Amino acid sequence: GRAELMVKVFSHLFKDVHSKSVVWMSHGDRIAKLPKGFKATAFTDNSPVAAMENSIDKIYGLQFHPEVAHTQEGIKIIRNFLFNICQCQPLWKVESFADYAIKNIQDQVGNGKVVCGLSGGVDSSVVAVLLHQAIGDRLICIFIDNGLLRSGERQKVEETFREHFHMNLMVIDASKRFLDLLKGVTDPEQKRKIIGNTFIHVFEEQAKKAGDFKFLAQGTLYPDVIESVSFKGPSAVIKSHHNVGGLPEDMELELVEPLRELFKDEVRALGREMGMPDEIISRQPFPGPGLAIRIIDEVTPERITTVQEADKIILEEIKAAGLYKEIWQSFAVLLPVKTVGVMGDARTYENVVALRAVTSTDGMTADWVPLPYELLGKISNRIINEVKGVNRVVYDISSKPPGTIEWE
């Protein structure tokens, strides 16, 4: 979590950085003894060596995360390293990435056909538009209704991509198949694996019916990869994302993942650069496994309906308050507990819904949002009065880390 960094000696890495500033730390270890040739340049209350360097060999080490939004002067530190120490030039632009990505897609795919897993979220939408620009009608988008979607999601996707973008879109209702496989499953990792495997198998089946497809495009982002597998470094697996760690080993389609090394804010910038409407670009992220990981128990049709209705109320009130674009994610979680309540003159013993709202820039770290009490009260009253089977609403005030944004 948060820590106060104190710079103890001059370092080119900390040029123009305040002697005291807030940084974000999420490690269980700390450096007890410096390597030969290194000196400590900054510390925190809990970490005597929060930064160290060998200025002769120009090797620098940090115990905190300079790349996340919650490190106040992190961008300045990274700039110092890139442009002052390494003498790099700031030539990269979003528009140059679009050209680069389109060329990479064309080189990888050649004359082949691509099927794109479209969810309606920002990531898969940007991938679909990018692919459409790269290969045109050789792209077919498949939207799978897995029964775990937000209320009205399927209709919105059909309208947007058929009527607005004029793309080849297949809509598959596989909800019964997914829900049958999830019966009796409560472990979150197992849920993710089942959804990931089923997702790919349905795609392969539909792709074979639609034509000769060799490639599957997905909206995998860098944070998905970091949390799912060790990628370009010894990162620990935090949880399997259905489009990374949840894929079957015997998958027949070759993956096309043009956003694999981008963060969410970069994906939004790329979408705007390509002229995509703000309604899509500004959408809050929605997890690949859908509402299955917002039901902290076995997934049933009744529980899905409960979460959908509560989630719809939360989004309506967040938008009405003018806070939607300021919040990274806001959603409902159905907890595996029941509590006693009183409704009318009768005793009730019903479900608890947790409200989660966080701010973030890239999804790697997040802070809970101090929503106005009046808004919290309005959301709570509406959920309890309008959603059958709920008699209590609680608010999650956990940050990431130590928690994750989603509960599972």
Side-chain angles (χ1 to χ4, degrees):
R2 286 186 185 84
E4 185 177 53
L5 181 76
M6 288 159 273
V7 179
K8 59 191 292 188
V9 296
F10 173 78
S11 169
H12 290 290
L13 193 64
F14 295 113
K15 182 184 176 184
D16 298 327
V17 174
H18 289 89
S19 59
K20 291 184 179 181
S21 64
V22 173
V23 298
W24 199 265
M25 306 186 79
S26 61
H27 300 287
D29 301 319
R30 66 179 184 178
I31 297 168
K33 183 179 178 182
L34 286 165
K36 185 178 179 180
F38 281 78
K39 66 178 180 181
T41 54
F43 64 96
T44 68
D45 286 341
N46 196 43
S47 182
V49 184
M52 65 180 185
E53 68 179 59
N54 182 324
S55 53
I56 296 174
D57 294 332
K58 293 188 176 180
I59 302 173
Y60 300 81
L62 301 177
Q63 185 70 16
F64 59 91
H65 289 276
E67 78 281 6
V68 301
H70 299 99
T71 294
Q72 290 178 344
E73 298 188 88
I75 297 299
K76 196 178 291 183
I77 295 169
I78 292 171
R79 283 183 169 275
N80 284 337
F81 178 73
L82 291 174
F83 306 134
N84 296 337
I85 296 170
C86 298
Q87 298 292 302
C88 294
Q89 297 298 314
L91 303 177
W92 188 90
K93 295 179 181 178
V94 170
E95 53 266 33
S96 63
F97 178 82
D99 295 337
Y100 164 82
I102 287 171
K103 184 179 184 306
N104 272 2
I105 291 167
Q106 292 170 339
D107 289 344
Q108 180 183 358
V109 172
N111 294 321
K113 294 180 180 180
V114 180
V115 60
C116 177
L118 189 62
S119 70
V122 179
D123 308 332
S124 65
S125 298
V126 170
V127 166
V129 172
L130 198 60
L131 279 156
H132 199 243
Q133 291 187 11
I135 63 171
D137 289 340
R138 285 186 288 126
L139 167 71
I140 285 189
C141 294
I142 296 181
F143 176 81
I144 295 179
D145 184 350
N146 59 11
L148 304 165
L149 306 174
R150 286 172 287 203
S151 179
E153 188 72 13
R154 176 173 168 176
Q155 293 77 11
K156 187 178 294 182
V157 167
E158 290 189 79
E159 180 182 328
T160 300
F161 289 90
R162 278 186 179 146
E163 298 179 17
H164 183 88
F165 290 117
H166 308 292
M167 291 185 184
N168 296 322
L169 174 65
M170 295 173 59
V171 177
I172 310 301
D173 185 354
S175 53
K176 185 178 185 303
R177 182 168 173 178
F178 278 85
L179 297 182
D180 284 347
L181 290 169
L182 288 169
K183 281 181 181 176
V185 178
T186 59
D187 179 73
E189 273 297 287
Q190 195 177 351
K191 285 182 187 178
R192 288 176 176 273
K193 298 282 187 181
I194 289 170
I195 293 167
N197 281 322
T198 308
F199 179 82
I200 293 300
H201 290 317
V202 172
F203 257 86
E204 288 181 335
E205 291 167 10
Q206 296 303 321
K208 286 177 182 177
K209 291 179 183 178
D212 183 21
F213 291 93
K214 296 181 180 179
F215 300 93
L216 167 65
Q218 293 195 137
T220 306
L221 303 191
Y222 189 52
D224 300 336
V225 179
I226 291 173
E227 291 190 340
S228 296
V229 295
S230 179
F231 179 74
K232 294 186 177 179
S235 304
V237 175
I238 298 171
K239 57 186 178 183
S240 295
H241 288 261
H242 86 290
N243 53 350
V244 186
L247 301 181
E249 293 181 2
D250 61 346
M251 187 178 71
E252 296 180 13
L253 298 170
E254 181 181 333
L255 289 177
V256 179
E257 298 174 308
L259 310 181
R260 189 179 175 88
E261 295 187 33
L262 294 186
F263 289 93
K264 180 74 75 172
D265 55 326
E266 294 171 320
V267 174
R268 293 189 199 278
L270 177 60
R272 292 189 181 97
E273 181 63 32
M274 294 190 298
M276 294 178 65
D278 191 62
E279 182 184 356
I280 293 176
I281 296 305
S282 298
R283 290 196 81 185
Q284 293 182 1
F286 187 68
L291 300 178
I293 58 170
R294 293 178 180 175
I295 297 170
I296 316 302
D297 204 337
E298 179 186 359
V299 177
T300 66
E302 295 76 22
R303 287 170 178 160
I304 292 170
T305 299
T306 299
V307 177
Q308 284 177 331
E309 292 178 357
D311 191 71
K312 184 179 179 182
I313 290 170
I314 290 169
L315 292 179
E316 285 175 354
E317 294 299 335
I318 292 289
K319 288 177 180 177
L323 297 174
Y324 184 78
K325 290 185 179 181
E326 297 177 24
I327 295 174
W328 176 263
Q329 275 178 275
S330 48
F331 56 88
V333 181
L334 182 62
L335 305 188
V337 294
K338 290 189 174 184
T339 63
V340 173
V342 177
M343 298 186 77
D345 295 324
R347 174 189 182 275
T348 63
Y349 188 60
E350 302 287 6
N351 297 299
V352 180
V353 163
L355 164 60
R356 179 76 158 144
V358 298
T359 56
S360 181
T361 300
D362 49 27
M364 293 297 291
T365 60
D367 253 349
W368 63 277
V369 181
L371 293 175
Y373 290 148
E374 184 179 351
L375 177 58
L376 287 171
K378 193 171 184 180
I379 291 172
S380 176
N381 287 336
R382 282 198 61 192
I383 290 175
I384 291 170
N385 290 326
E386 297 176 29
V387 181
K388 184 180 178 181
V390 176
N391 70 356
R392 192 177 300 270
V393 175
V394 297
Y395 190 38
D396 180 353
I397 56 170
S398 309
S399 297
K400 176 187 179 180
T404 53
I405 295 175
E406 299 288 347
W407 279 46
E408 288 192 343

